[in-house]
Amino acid sequence: QTLKALFDLGITSGQIAAGHPATQDSIQVAMVGTLVRRLATIRRPDLIISDEAHHDLFTNARGGIFKYWADVPRIGFTATPERLDGRGLGEIYTDMVKGPTISNLVADGWLCPPMLYTTPSELGAKFHVTRGDFDKGEQVKVMTGRRIVGDVIEHYREKLDHQPTVCFCVNIEHSRIMADQFNQAGYKACVVWGDMPRSEREAAIRGLADGSIDVVTSCDVISEGVDVPVMAGAILLRRTQSLGLYLQQAGRALRPIFPRGFNANDATAEERLDAMAAAGKPNAIILDHAGNYPLHGHILADREWSLAAASRADRKERPPMTTTCPACYGVWPGTPRTCPACGFDFGAKREHEEIEIKVVAGKLVEAGLEGGEAEKVAGVYARAMKAQGKERQKILLGAAFRATDKRVVSELGRLAGYNPRWTDWAWDYARGRKQGGRI
């Protein structure tokens, strides 16, 4: 892809790879694993350019390259300049030049406006952390459950029906299960994984563009470094502690599509956005079934990146504020007065603008509550959000004790500011009292 991009710009370059003869081109392109094994046979470069620089460490293969050519200047490029645990890249780099934010690029018409939706079925699931991220084995057991799989197919049919979509899975087994489920539901789906023949992977990606494939299910292949030119939506089925991975996966769907012959460089922001709509992709649909947005916030939230950033745990950082619409289930950054997607009114006046208003009752409809019951839940939230302090907690906790769905108890307790363990206690307490009525 890099070679092709350079060629399209009129730049010839050499490729350091098996089967490719050495050239005298001033630009040489190489995979990290190949380059680190051939350092002694390659002439000293004048500049090292590292892509996906959030992977750069002195303790890995990239670091071996940097140490071998310690006196060579280097530039790293990344959309997410932090490591898995949130630490900055100050160990490797001395200065950071920040580009435009995702929200800037969306507003200027260089990226497609995202429409983020979430579902509740697995949000109560708790996973252990192994090797710095949520345990994959535990996630597979939850995410391949009948209810979760059904929700995925149902929401794809509702929001993206037959539009080209990439489904980000936990592992290869999970990817195969999801592809099989999509195929059984009448869609054309295939699996992409790291060790498959490149020709097959490229054929699957071309299938998204020409309509022969509806859904590609993937595990750690399309998250970064792979160009997917036509992609209407992303389905997130892996929960991660990495803000970078979350943004990389969700951001894959933001690539705009313009009509053939449209010159985006000479157009205004409004003209670019209109052109996206004319090309059939006015927005990018992101279906977060894994519960990543509550951990990391909306993809449009502006974030402060720093080379000196401590780990997320040390910073005790809270995710950016978001609001969920009970009518269309869309998730939005901050606290909008009305839903940008459907116009739902979140409330005209707020006594304190800094109070986060989360209206999530609509998610419960997807979990099996009937419409009338969901409306009652919405009423509870509305009353609670107007109250303050102990009165708000009294309303929420009273409703929690009357609930017959544990997900209701979990969400009410979270809004009240209680530790997640409180959910288990409240649920057992409510069942012990054998309360049979719903909210």
Side-chain angles (χ1 to χ4, degrees):
Q1 292 173 183
T2 303
L3 290 163
K4 182 179 182 301
L6 290 169
F7 182 80
D8 290 343
L9 292 172
I11 301 171
T12 60
S13 55
Q15 183 174 2
I16 301 172
H20 291 267
T23 70
Q24 296 301 311
D25 293 295
S26 59
I27 295 177
Q28 298 288 326
V29 179
M31 294 288 291
V32 172
T34 303
L35 181 60
V36 77
R37 293 191 299 269
R38 304 187 183 189
L39 293 174
T41 65
I42 298 173
R43 65 181 181 182
R44 177 188 179 278
D46 299 309
L47 175 68
I48 299 172
I49 298 176
S50 176
D51 194 19
E52 307 294 355
H54 50 280
H55 294 305
D56 290 350
L57 287 169
F58 281 133
T59 55
N60 60 15
R62 292 168 178 248
I65 297 170
F66 299 152
K67 290 177 181 177
Y68 189 85
W69 287 314
D71 60 339
V72 175
R74 59 180 176 269
I75 299 175
F77 287 92
T78 176
T80 53
E82 70 172 34
R83 301 196 174 99
L84 171 63
D85 64 357
R87 288 187 299 132
L89 305 180
E91 173 191 348
I92 295 288
Y93 296 102
T94 57
D95 296 281
M96 180 187 293
V97 178
K98 299 178 184 179
T101 64
I102 295 177
S103 61
N104 291 151
L105 293 170
V106 168
D108 288 342
W110 293 112
L111 290 178
C112 201
M115 300 279 286
L116 173 62
Y117 297 90
T118 189
T119 55
S121 301
E122 77 305 320
L123 295 185
K126 297 177 176 63
F127 306 115
H128 292 94
V129 175
T130 58
R131 300 181 66 182
D133 209 347
F134 295 114
D135 186 88
K136 290 186 177 182
E138 294 177 355
Q139 290 200 62
V140 169
K141 291 180 181 178
V142 172
M143 300 307 291
T144 55
R146 185 172 301 174
R147 181 174 57 203
I148 301 294
V149 170
D151 282 349
V152 173
I153 304 299
E154 175 185 346
H155 283 78
Y156 174 79
R157 180 173 286 115
E158 177 186 349
K159 305 294 186 184
L160 283 160
D161 196 32
H162 288 288
Q163 296 185 59
T165 298
V166 173
C167 185
F168 295 96
C169 300
V170 179
N171 60 13
I172 296 176
E173 174 195 3
H174 186 206
S175 300
R176 287 172 174 157
I177 290 172
M178 292 311 305
D180 182 60
Q181 292 295 319
F182 274 107
N183 284 318
Q184 290 185 32
Y187 296 104
K188 293 168 288 188
C190 65
V191 184
V192 167
W193 68 94
D195 294 332
M196 73 185 302
R198 186 175 67 178
S199 59
E200 295 182 18
R201 181 169 64 242
E202 292 175 348
I205 293 174
R206 285 197 304 271
L208 289 176
D210 64 26
S212 61
I213 297 293
D214 296 315
V215 178
V216 167
T217 63
S218 165
C219 169
D220 292 339
V221 175
I222 301 181
S223 299
E224 62 184 33
V226 175
D227 186 23
V228 185
V230 179
M231 184 173 164
I235 301 175
L236 310 185
L237 295 183
R238 173 187 171 184
R239 189 184 300 182
T240 178
Q241 290 204 110
S242 169
L243 169 63
L245 181 59
Y246 163 63
L247 293 177
Q248 292 276 355
Q249 292 183 344
R252 289 285 141 180
L254 303 189
R255 178 169 177 164
I257 299 176
F258 295 118
R260 186 181 298 275
F262 178 77
N263 188 342
N265 292 320
D266 292 337
T268 65
E270 184 177 358
E271 289 170 341
R272 284 190 287 267
L273 291 169
D274 288 343
M276 290 183 207
K281 186 182 174 183
N283 48 57
I285 304 297
I286 300 168
L287 306 181
D288 178 14
H289 289 262
N292 284 307
Y293 97 86
L295 294 176
H296 303 299
H298 200 282
I299 188 173
L300 289 179
D302 290 334
R303 295 170 171 86
E304 283 296 323
W305 306 105
S306 170
L307 291 176
S311 71
R312 196 169 293 108
D314 290 341
R315 297 199 304 263
K316 297 181 180 179
E317 184 178 274
R318 298 183 63 185
M321 189 179 300
T322 59
T323 300
T324 304
C325 176
C328 72
Y329 323 126
V331 183
W332 307 100
T335 55
R337 294 185 179 275
T338 59
C339 176
C342 70
F344 180 86
D345 186 1
F346 292 118
K349 292 185 178 180
R350 301 186 180 112
E351 185 174 351
H352 300 285
E353 285 297 324
E354 69 274 13
I355 294 176
E356 177 182 3
I357 295 183
K358 283 182 177 287
V359 186
V360 297
K363 295 192 294 184
L364 300 176
V365 175
E366 303 297 323
L369 291 183
E370 297 177 0
E373 293 167 342
E375 291 176 2
K376 293 178 182 178
V377 173
V380 171
Y381 286 132
R383 293 198 306 275
M385 291 303 103
K386 294 178 181 178
Q388 299 293 323
K390 291 184 178 180
E391 183 61 26
R392 173 184 292 185
Q393 291 190 357
K394 181 178 179 181
I395 294 172
L396 293 170
L397 299 182
F401 284 130
R402 295 193 300 274
T404 58
D405 188 317
K406 191 173 182 178
R407 286 179 292 276
V408 177
V409 179
S410 175
E411 193 63 39
L412 288 166
R414 187 179 65 80
L415 286 173
Y418 279 79
N419 187 292
R421 287 177 295 181
W422 177 88
T423 296
D424 296 327
W425 173 83
W427 178 244
D428 292 340
Y429 178 83
R431 285 194 303 171
R433 291 177 57 189
K434 297 181 179 179
Q435 292 282 351
R438 293 184 184 269
I439 295 177

